[in-house]
Amino acid sequence: MEKMVSLQNIVKSYPMGRGEKLEILHDISLTVEEGEFLAILGPSGSGKSTLMNVIGCMDRFDTGEYLLHGHAIHQCSDKELTAIRNQEIGFIFQKYHLIGTYTVLQNIIMPLLLRGMSQKEAEQAAMPTIEMLGLGQRIRHKPGELSGGQQQRVSIARALVGKPSILLADEPTGALDQNTGREVMRLFEQLNQMGHTVIMITHDLGIARHAHRVVRIVDGRLYQQGEDHLS
Ligand SMILES: Nc1ncnc2c1ncn2[C@@H]1O[C@H](COP(=O)(O)OP(=O)(O)O)[C@@H](O)[C@H]1O
Ligand SMILES: [Mg+2]
């Protein structure tokens, strides 16, 4: 199996003013293979979103090496990072991050337009994904006219259209009721069975159990262990 993500000894801090820094991620090493469904489980404030922003190439880190699908992220310029992020990562957020004034269709095809596709090409390319997610009847609606579960499916469609090598989800069920959250997890399982590499970040053990491997993050340190050790 090909390596999708290889983080080695990643340290990340935030500036605190007066030249001081607060270290949030301490010496994080993690490998994710193509086709894996991994959960990163940790309590609030443990550094999950900070780690997601590093994995998703949205944020830089202080030291360490990061290989993403063959790209040496630690050596990339900002411009290269933006391109790699658009090509390689499909983001799914707790609060969907949809644009409220855009239709469902406009939201979903956005990553394709950013790549320079025409409106028409983008719509055609997105249609199979829109149908697969059962959103065909909703494409002219605004996100605010949809239920939470439907809005999350729109954001999943947006994450999928660009055929990224990784789906990266931060608390994807955090804003949903239990049943809708379970449906979204079933969808993640299906997408993983179709071959998508999924990295999901959550504070919820019940949600993490849907993944095939779980690593824990506590106070910015990663602990790798088998699922049987989860409690
Ligand atoms: N931009 C920032 N500047 C300073 N500190 C931050 C910033 N973002 C997050 N932190 C701090 O980093 C720690 C981890 O935050 P975060 O990654 O959001 O945790 P989680 O997603 O697990 O709740 C927290 O102590 C938080 O206050
Ligand atoms: Mg978070």
Side-chain angles (χ1 to χ4, degrees), residues 123-151:
E123 287 182 14
Q124 272 171 2
M127 242 355 127
T129 306
I130 289 169
E131 293 300 338
M132 178 178 78
L133 290 174
L135 293 166
Q137 304 300 311
R138 299 278 180 221
I139 55 174
R140 305 288 165 205
H141 289 242
K142 299 279 168 65
E145 297 161 0
L146 305 183
S147 70
Q150 287 168 333
Q151 289 187 62

Side-chain angles (χ1 to χ4, degrees), residues 48-49 170-171:
K48 299 186 299 297
S49 295
D170 192 358
E171 305 277 5

Side-chain angles (χ1 to χ4, degrees), residues 101-118:
T101 53
Y102 282 19
T103 64
V104 163
L105 180 62
Q106 287 169 322
N107 270 283
I108 292 173
I109 66 173
M110 175 79 84
L112 300 178
L113 299 182
L114 286 173
R115 282 186 199 179
M117 255 192 211
S118 74

Side-chain angles (χ1 to χ4, degrees), residues 14 24 43-50:
Y14 288 112
I24 302 292
S44 175
S46 58
K48 299 186 299 297
S49 295
T50 305

